[in-house]
Amino acid sequence: MSRDQGESLPLTDALVQLSFLVQSVIEKACAEHGTSAGQARLLGVLEGRSPAMTELAALLGVERASVTGLVDRAERRGLVRRTPNPGDRRASHVHLTDQGRQTEAAFRASVARRIESLTAGLPPADRSRLARLATRVLGVEA
């Protein structure tokens, strides 16, 4: 069934299709920068903070064992480093290295460039409205 030019998809269909499109953008940026989606997400979460492993697992929404493997792989690539927590010898904090910061910035710029290209046909007011609506749906304070 075809749709008329001005007819919108149902909300669920539109959001699912949009998520597929955004996921494709992320996959292309990951391939461009030689990183997995998990590592890209790790780098983004670490930008501007140095959480303990437990907090990092919570921020990523994964089990601590999963975050340990993710951090191990990123550490081997020189993207992150761990430092001991002075108050708890069993705990460590995870930090971006200079290489990790550069990779995260390049990845973010690559995604932004692709998203800008996808939305280039929208008037600026619609782009702003889309950003505001997405922010509200995500429950994020701007």
Side-chain angles (χ1 to χ4, degrees):
M1 177 173 144
S2 65
R3 297 193 177 275
D4 292 331
Q5 179 111 18
E7 192 176 343
S8 297
L9 291 171
L11 179 61
T12 300
D13 293 346
L15 288 176
V16 167
Q17 292 300 315
L18 183 59
S19 75
F20 292 155
L21 185 59
V22 171
Q23 188 59 42
S24 175
V25 163
I26 291 168
E27 288 169 3
K28 288 174 184 169
C30 285
E32 180 182 337
H33 297 287
T35 188
S36 69
Q39 283 184 346
R41 190 165 174 228
L42 170 69
L43 299 179
V45 164
L46 289 175
E47 181 59 40
R49 67 179 103 183
S50 299
M53 292 289 282
T54 304
E55 181 186 0
L56 183 55
L59 288 166
L60 292 170
V62 300
E63 297 295 320
R64 189 161 190 270
S66 296
V67 85
T68 298
L70 187 60
V71 170
D72 286 347
R73 289 185 294 281
E75 194 169 36
R76 282 194 296 273
R77 288 191 58 201
L79 301 173
V80 302
R81 66 182 165 79
R82 290 178 239 219
T83 57
N85 180 342
D88 182 355
R89 290 185 10 208
R90 298 168 297 161
S92 60
H93 288 266
V94 184
H95 310 265
L96 285 177
T97 62
D98 288 340
Q99 181 182 350
R101 269 188 287 288
Q102 291 170 359
T103 301
E104 192 280 331
F107 176 81
R108 185 180 301 267
S110 179
V111 169
R113 185 179 70 249
R114 285 177 165 87
I115 295 291
E116 289 290 325
S117 176
L118 287 175
T119 60
L122 295 175
D126 285 353
R127 290 168 59 156
S128 293
R129 186 165 187 247
L130 179 59
R132 282 192 312 276
L133 290 171
T135 300
R136 285 179 55 195
V137 168
L138 292 169
V140 178
E141 301 261 342

